[in-house]
Amino acid sequence: MQFLEKTKKSIFSLFILILLILSFFVFKFALDKEKVYSPKITDEQIFTDFEVEDLIDGRKINFSKVLFGKNFYLINIWSSWCEPCKDESDKLLELKKETSIMMVGINYKDKKKNALNFLKLYGDPFDQIFIDKQGTISINFGAYGVPETFLINDHNKVLKKYIGPLNDEDVFEIKKITNN
Amino acid sequence: MIISQLGHYSLIFGLLTSILIFFNSSIQIKKNDAIISDKTTGLIGFQFFFVFISFISLIYSFLISDFSNETVYNNSHTTKPLFYKITGTWGNHEGSLLLWLLVLTGVLLGFIFKSKNEPKKYRLLTTIFHQIIVIGFFVFVLKTSNPFNEIFPVQTEGLGLNPILQDPALGIHPPILYLGYVGTSIIFSAALASMMSNYVNKIWAKNIKFWILFSWIFLTGGILLGSIWAYYELGWGGFWFWDPVENVSLMPWLSLTALLHCIVTLEKRELLKKWTIVLCIITFALSMVGTFLVRSGILNSVHTFANDPSRGIYILTFLLVLILLSFVIFIIFENKSFTQKSEIFIFSKETAVLINNWFILYFLSVVLIGTIYPIFLDVILDEQISVGPPFYNKLILPFLVPFVIFMSIGPSMKWIKTNFRIGIKSLLVIIFTLILSFITVYYIGEKNILILLLFIGFIYLLLKSLDQLRQKTKNFAQIFSHIGFSLLLISILLNSFLSKEIIKNIQVGESFFLKNEKIIFKKIAIEKEKNYESIIGFFEILDEKNKTINLQPEIRIYNEPDMATSEASIKTSLFKDRFITINIIKDQNFFNVRYQHKPFMIWVWISTLIIMLGGLFAIFRKNKEVNI
Amino acid sequence: MTRMFLKSKKLLIIKILIIFVLITINFKNFAISSTYSEEQTINITKNLRCLICQGQTIHESNSDFAESMKKYIKSELEDGKTNEEIFSSLVKKYGQWIVYDPGISRNTLLLWSLPLLLFLIGGAIIVKKIFRKI
């Protein structure tokens, strides 16, 4: 009886000890983890069944019809008031020139005049541009800021997502994926 | 500059004193003297003195804006008002750790003074254990967070203090909170010492109760101040968000509350010895876990400190060492120092205390698991989740009902054995409770059984506690805390159901309605202060009786650092707060106006003060024989 | 005589309890019908986490993203979507992290069950302590 009590106690102590040490290592690894959350890419297709308005001619079209007939699409969310968007404009121009990706711009919470000015100043890399006055269209893609860029294949699946301005490595990666 | 140097060296002397005290006490234990030598007491005094000098030098460096000091440079500015120069001292990681050290050494000095009549071995052992903690923190401060680092070349202007910290409530929040939070360290040291010196008995319980109450009162006060600050400064009228940083202060509070009930049982009946010691250890461990979570930047929270991984790993290792140490000591001395023969009867105060502890520890486990589970999930499975209010509400609210009912009957239980008699009076209380609860639930129009049951429980507790005021032998400490607690729960519940709000984008001259009240945006004015410029909105509220109330919310644009904050304007009355904030909308002439009715807010604060008052009663009536 | 009195008092309590139970059962029948309202929007946005200012809810935040999200949810509600549909579509887009309610899933099974398990263990310990024969 005494013996049983003792083994029970030592098993319990051992359990606590293991729990403590396990917690220690979990916390230790947690220290090195990225603390700012950013959504991962899911396997699902993106939602495309909603109406968008063209920036240039104000024509309204269902977005699923925009993503049609090409192998790859690049959706770039931008705005004239967004400073980093200026930095990434030549990256987008480069992609436009050197790949066959269809470039779709989403003009986020902007004024038409400013947006057109921006394109005049920094070049227009887009095949089509739609406006997102309320910011709700970006939410359909699962975006949460500007700039944000999505590489999508012909099955409407997101292959890559870039939060913040594109850099040279990103451009290289996009080229590599789309040239295969 | 010289003062800052003085602070630095004073800190090093403090560390040296710690080592001296540690060895001095260890040697003395073996001697047969009846009391500890004046040398040890003197050294403990000196240790506190050194930290105090250090602390004063840092305040002085802030006062004269000595920008050769890195901490001052990072967190202050010459244009800041005097008050915020002082509070800025602990409004940052380095300075607040110095405050931590000050409290840590201060409580030991207090303990040595207060424990003069207790066994020598126990006092020395407490000192030794406490020095382990103190040395750990001295090294931590000097190695990773030295508040006296110099920068070269000397800067002419500082970077300024985060504007949301420039606030009177938050200015005094850290010192109050730390007195409670760090105060738990002495309970920990004393618990280990009492176990080793076979001193876990009535007298020990009676004496350590002071420190438990001390920590508990200040921790309650600290949490209260933090909530008040969040309520008016963060701009959306909430006061508790189940944010990890808040949870971290709630956890030691819960375990202190459990401990408080336990220690009385130990004092009266020499029961629950083992469990009391475990709670003492858990309490301090939780406050260390909290320190780790907040300081390492591991959390994603509204109020995070600037972080540095080396700090995290240091506290984590130190925490592990302390827990392992107490674990080993507990296992070794477990069988030696705990002998209890008394029996517990079902209908007794002992059972009531056990049930109290059972529930409080359940609540504690909910908060603890809710806070650290996402971290575990992220590390082990790389999945990110958020654990927010819905989780806590679902797991805590249903359990509050039986908890408060036990809390209502517990105090009328007698020690050892109670004979139950249901008098006509207790029947009246029940009927009264039911009537009041139905009226309340009908009034707020919430058709949910849980809500009804919660109100029944809370109101029953309130009426029962008020009823106890008529008893011949009354324990004011318990009655006040319980009244405060029931009032707090009732106000929180009413507040969450009756809050109304409306958000509108309007221009000057326009108006809108909330229920029967008309809110008119009169005009806008711009004022310039020393450290900020403010845009003040003048609002006039016409309530249902056509009385006018003026509210002036502000947008402050601080100069150092360049940051805008929104200052709420609040009109408090007995039954509701009127709360308004404004925000600028980009590129437009509109203002985003958020107007809210926050019912019973003042009662949330008052009831917490009543809870603290209960604690004060317990401290000052400790010489008389009272039942809790 | 006193015994009788006690008995009748006990009976009275039982009666009150029965009445009380009946009332509470009736209470359930007043369930509210769900139609879209301003409060519903607030309820949803209070349970969503803002991705820009990561300690706040969408409801509390004034960031661009939060403002858009509020409009998005309003339009979804106007389209007749239920709360659950809105939450699940947002979880698909932004991950489980965005909702404050962790929900019950494979990942959160322990989160919900662990505290309850501890409660049961605690209860068992107390029962054992009180009914222990010496």
Side-chain angles (χ1 to χ4, degrees), chain B residues 373 386 501 583 586 594, chain C residues 59 62 64 97 100 107 119:
Chain B
Y373 188 85
S386 298
E501 87 171 300
N583 273 297
K586 199 170 45 204
R594 184 183 283 225
Chain C
H59 174 71
N62 288 310
D64 262 325
W97 193 85
Y100 270 111
N107 284 340
F119 184 74

Side-chain angles (χ1 to χ4, degrees), chain A residues 76-142:
Chain A
N76 176 258
I77 301 167
W78 65 282
S79 188
S80 67
W81 49 260
C82 137
E83 284 301 317
C85 294
K86 293 172 188 165
D87 303 335
E88 73 170 356
S89 59
D90 29 312
K91 305 281 182 302
L92 290 169
L93 285 167
E94 183 185 337
L95 283 171
K96 167 75 183 160
K97 227 168 79 186
E98 297 174 20
T99 65
S100 60
I101 309 170
M102 166 136 158
M103 311 280 284
V104 182
I106 302 290
N107 185 225
Y108 182 82
K109 292 191 175 177
D110 211 349
K111 288 185 177 135
K112 188 173 174 179
K113 204 179 81 189
N114 296 351
L116 292 175
N117 252 336
F118 181 92
L119 293 176
K120 220 180 268 171
L121 228 74
Y122 299 96
D124 178 359
F126 301 112
D127 295 307
Q128 274 181 301
I129 305 169
F130 302 101
I131 56 174
D132 184 10
K133 200 123 203 106
Q134 313 273 8
T136 48
I137 289 167
S138 307
I139 291 177
N140 279 317
F141 299 131

Side-chain angles (χ1 to χ4, degrees), chain A residues 63-78:
Chain A
F63 197 71
S64 56
K65 293 201 177 110
V66 176
L67 301 184
F68 186 77
K70 290 267 191 163
N71 286 334
F72 296 102
Y73 308 90
L74 195 81
I75 298 176
N76 176 258
I77 301 167
W78 65 282

Side-chain angles (χ1 to χ4, degrees), chain B residues 310-321:
Chain B
S310 69
R311 289 172 188 163
I313 199 74
Y314 184 95
I315 306 185
L316 187 61
T317 316
F318 186 45
L319 171 65
L320 184 75
V321 168

Side-chain angles (χ1 to χ4, degrees), chain C residues 4-133:
Chain C
M4 277 290 288
F5 182 61
L6 263 175
K7 220 176 186 179
S8 67
K9 245 195 297 183
K10 266 184 194 160
L11 269 176
L12 192 62
I13 294 172
I14 293 167
K15 269 182 199 164
I16 288 173
L17 277 177
I18 291 172
I19 293 169
F20 168 69
V21 168
L22 284 177
I23 294 173
T24 35
I25 289 170
N26 272 328
F27 230 70
K28 219 178 189 172
N29 298 333
F30 290 96
I32 33 164
S33 62
S34 63
T35 43
Y36 156 65
S37 67
E38 189 72 16
E39 263 163 50
Q40 204 181 346
T41 327
I42 291 178
N43 272 336
I44 294 178
T45 50
K46 268 191 179 164
N47 283 317
L48 289 176
R49 199 160 177 173
C50 180
L51 279 104
I52 298 292
C53 24
Q54 302 205 335
Q56 288 186 352
T57 68
I58 294 284
H59 174 71
E60 293 148 3
S61 171
N62 288 310
S63 68
D64 262 325
F65 174 69
E67 293 302 323
S68 306
M69 188 59 96
K70 284 172 200 163
K71 283 177 192 147
Y72 175 83
I73 283 155
K74 253 181 215 159
S75 78
E76 290 283 281
L77 284 171
E78 277 159 13
D79 286 351
K81 296 254 173 72
T82 63
N83 292 13
E84 287 71 34
E85 281 171 337
I86 294 172
F87 280 131
S88 75
S89 85
L90 285 174
V91 166
K92 267 183 203 157
K93 286 173 188 147
Y94 293 100
Q96 187 66 44
W97 193 85
I98 196 170
V99 287
Y100 270 111
D101 189 343
I104 297 174
S105 69
R106 199 169 42 90
N107 284 340
T108 59
L109 211 59
L110 269 180
L111 171 70
W112 291 95
S113 57
L114 222 51
L116 295 171
L117 196 71
L118 289 173
F119 184 74
L120 292 179
I121 293 174
I125 293 173
I126 291 177
V127 167
K128 211 180 135 196
K129 202 165 175 69
I130 293 172
F131 291 99
R132 179 185 56 185
K133 294 272 176 292

